[in-house]
Amino acid sequence: MPAPAATYERIVYKNPSEHHYMKVHLEFQDHGIGLNAAQFKQLLISALKDLFGEVDAALPLDILTYEEKTLSAILRICSSGLVKLWSSMTLLGSYKGKKCAFRVIQVSPFLLALSGNSRELALN
Amino acid sequence: MVRFKHRYLLCEVVSDDPRCRLSLEDRVLGGLVRDTIARVHGTFGAAACSIGFAVRYLNAYTGIVLLRCRKEFYRLVWSALPFITYLENKGHHYPCFLNTLHVGGTIRTCQKFLIQYNRRQLLILLQNCTDEGEREAIQKSVARSCLLEEESAGEELSDSGGEEAAEAME
């Protein structure tokens, strides 16, 4: 008995997440410099504006969490702007005359992936 | 084959002030476009667009400007043109804007478009003009351009477009 004809449907997802999440840490050459959340965001936007101009300084960038003591934050950026944000953070050299650098710890299209980091895993 | 490909942006400088077009100079306009690209697209945009950038043709009477840029970055240049709001020359400040008429791959295609555009503009001017003397002058220009169009159906005229445009605005 011939089998009934089967219908196939192929669904392709090409990167369904529109946002990318980055865990970053700002490191200064001298210690003892603090920034609040607004100043941190202003620093990021001015880095984007220097390298990519006013059009890309207006990219929808959000700071989801910010810790003032460790100067580390979790950022959210739309996927098309990830490369621009990352490259402008790389090329940022100073804040108000003081040398600093951004260390990118983790990047992921899913926020849940940033909750655990196998580098900081403590094995007992 | 292997060559650098360019895009030519044909733009028109539109302004309320009639002195604005007369004070157009290629270096002034080139500097203005470069500054605007640096403001809108940052150091990356300024560097990317300024490699092959040049002002190829400028007509002070009609306000037509032909800008050249590399094919990979012509969209950066094109998107920065609406941010030009004024023209500054010798201390005079004129508000104006750049209207992009055509984007072409070669100067020849832009010239063909400019010839057709000027013919249409002549007819529009004919409808809108009020003075009898002006009306006769425009009608003569229209008749001459129709004759030139029939002549060039067989051969290619290289400089008639630019000359027509200059004569039409006198």
Side-chain angles (χ1 to χ4, degrees), chain B residues 36-52:
Chain B
T36 310
I37 294 175
R39 182 168 51 104
V40 174
H41 292 296
T43 34
F44 170 75
C49 300
S50 70
I51 295 180

Side-chain angles (χ1 to χ4, degrees), chain B residues 1-2 13 15 24 30 32 35 38 41 50 58 64 73 76 87 107 119 144 148 153 165-166:
Chain B
M1 281 308 296
V2 180
V13 178
S15 170
L24 269 180
L32 180 64
D35 287 339
H41 292 296
S50 70
L58 180 63
I64 300 279
F73 302 111
L76 289 178
L87 199 74
I107 299 186
R119 280 206 192 101
R144 239 184 332 188
L148 277 169

